[in-house]
Amino acid sequence: MSLSVTKIKALFGLKLRLIISNMSLMTAPIMAILYVVFMKSIMQSKAPSHVALISLLLGMGLCFNIVMGGIMMTSYPLAEEKEHHTLRVLMTSSITGPEFFIGSLLPPLAIMTVTNLILVP
C-alpha cells in the first residue's frame, strides 16, 4: 500500500483552510500567546526569579496550546465532516485510511508548531 502525496497535499490544504477560517478553532493558539504575554506583564514585578517565571509561563503556554489546541483542531473538522455528510464521500473515494489520517493530522501539527515557536521568544 503506497501513499499518494497529492491526495495528502489536497487533504492538508482542505483541513488547513477549514481550521484557519474557523475562528473558534483558532482561539486556542491565540489564547496561548495572549495568556503568556498577559501573565508575563502581570507577574514580572512579583516573581522572585526571571528565569523561573519564563520557564513557568512557557510550560503553561505550551501545555495550553498542545492540549487544548491539539484536541480541538483535530476533532472539530472530523465532526463537521460527519455532520455535513462529506465524511461518507471521503470514505467511498479513493483516499485510503493512512492518507486521510496523515492529511488530517498535519495541519493541526503545523499550526501548533508555529504557535509554540512564537511562544519561545
Side-chain angles (χ1 to χ4, degrees):
M1 176 169 32
S2 66
L3 297 175
S4 173
V5 178
T6 56
K7 292 177 188 176
I8 293 174
K9 216 158 87 169
L11 272 171
F12 177 82
L14 173 71
K15 298 282 185 173
L16 191 63
R17 275 185 276 137
L18 263 170
I19 291 172
I20 290 177
S21 66
N22 192 339
M23 205 52 203
S24 64
L25 289 177
M26 291 306 291
T27 55
I30 292 169
M31 281 177 57
I33 295 169
L34 292 177
Y35 171 79
V36 170
V37 170
F38 181 68
M39 292 303 280
K40 184 179 177 192
S41 67
I42 289 176
M43 298 174 70
Q44 200 161 18
S45 61
K46 298 179 181 172
S49 167
H50 183 70
V51 175
L53 173 69
I54 295 298
S55 61
L56 172 77
L57 291 178
L58 181 61
M60 290 189 71
L62 291 176
C63 285
F64 186 83
N65 181 39
I66 291 170
V67 172
M68 187 175 147
I71 291 171
M72 280 178 34
M73 285 188 280
T74 54
S75 63
Y76 187 85
L78 185 64
E80 189 174 315
E81 286 173 354
K82 186 164 174 51
E83 184 178 308
H84 294 301
H85 302 291
T86 56
L87 187 60
R88 187 174 305 159
V89 173
L90 280 172
M91 288 171 59
T92 59
S93 69
S94 63
I95 295 175
T96 62
E99 290 169 347
F100 181 76
F101 186 71
I102 292 170
S104 296
L105 288 184
L106 283 180
L109 181 67
I111 292 171
M112 286 188 306
T113 303
V114 168
T115 305
N116 290 344
L117 289 175
I118 290 171
L119 286 176
V120 172

